[in-house]
Amino acid sequence: MTEKTGKEELRELARGLRRRVEFGDVEWSAGSARASERAAAPGEALAAAPGGVGAALEGLASQVEACRKCPLGSRRLRAVFGVGSSAAEVVFVGEGPGFEEDHRGEPFVGRSGQLLDRILESIGLSRKTVYIANIVKCHPMVDASDPEKRGNDRPPAPEEIAACRGYLDRQLSLIAPRVIVTLGAVAARVLLGPGEPITRIRGRWRQYAPEGLGRALKLLPTFHPAALLRNPALKKDVWTDMKALREELAQSAPE
Ligand code: URA
């Protein structure tokens, strides 16, 4: 396999940010190509990852698969654990799976996911070089009896978040990325605690110490891609945040 690792990609950025930023004009759209054509199959990138982190993540994914700590576990079609490189320098954290993710078992594969792919591409990243996960791993549905119904999504409830929280902390501790990027208000609130609204905290560097890691990681809150689909005026703020992320990665890239 000759696929670039996250570190190689960061070295490339550090060598003068030569990669052309195709979407610097902030014309991101959800794109026409299906995310599945670009995405690593679940587990594929992890299996290829060096060392024990990939194996530990796979073990954790099996626990999530069997998890019934909250009612979501017995209602969803597929658990949505995470996708990407176990050596990722950046972990993106969303809220929870929706219809497409529930059917495919992979995070961010619907319209929001296609937009997220474009956002990643614009700063020289991809879903194979970063890691993408959610606060909750199972689809929170308004009507749990009908997983085939579209638009049947709701935010996760506090007890569902509490039941799932340990899995995300473990993912973050194992990967130990340079930066966590939270996507949207729910992910920011869960990791940073309740406080100011997302409109006020986005783009401001924070820290989060995942349970078990013993140190804090840098965290950058930004808007959720779904918010950009609803309100394209927010794209310029996310573009500002992605440039800040790119700068941070270039500065802290290992030689
Ligand atoms: N929205 C999220 O927050 N996560 C997904 O995986 C998909 C959509």
Side-chain angles (χ1 to χ4, degrees), residues 80 94-98 101 106-108 112 134 224:
V80 179
E95 179 179 315
E101 292 77 21
E106 182 173 335
F108 283 97
S112 294
N134 279 309
H224 195 286

Side-chain angles (χ1 to χ4, degrees), residues 100-121:
E100 293 288 348
E101 292 77 21
D102 193 24
H103 281 69
R104 303 245 306 267
E106 182 173 335
F108 283 97
V109 288
R111 283 190 74 217
S112 294
Q114 291 171 20
L115 179 53
L116 179 60
D117 285 343
R118 304 287 288 263
I119 292 169
L120 294 176
E121 277 169 26

Side-chain angles (χ1 to χ4, degrees), residues 15 32 127 219 237:
R15 279 197 298 266
S32 52
R127 68 168 56 214
L219 186 152
D237 290 329

Side-chain angles (χ1 to χ4, degrees), residues 62-79:
S62 304
Q63 287 177 37
V64 167
E65 190 64 45
C67 180
R68 298 293 182 269
K69 283 196 218 167
C70 83
L72 295 185
S74 41
R75 294 170 182 166
R76 48 78 175 166
L77 296 176
R78 298 185 64 177

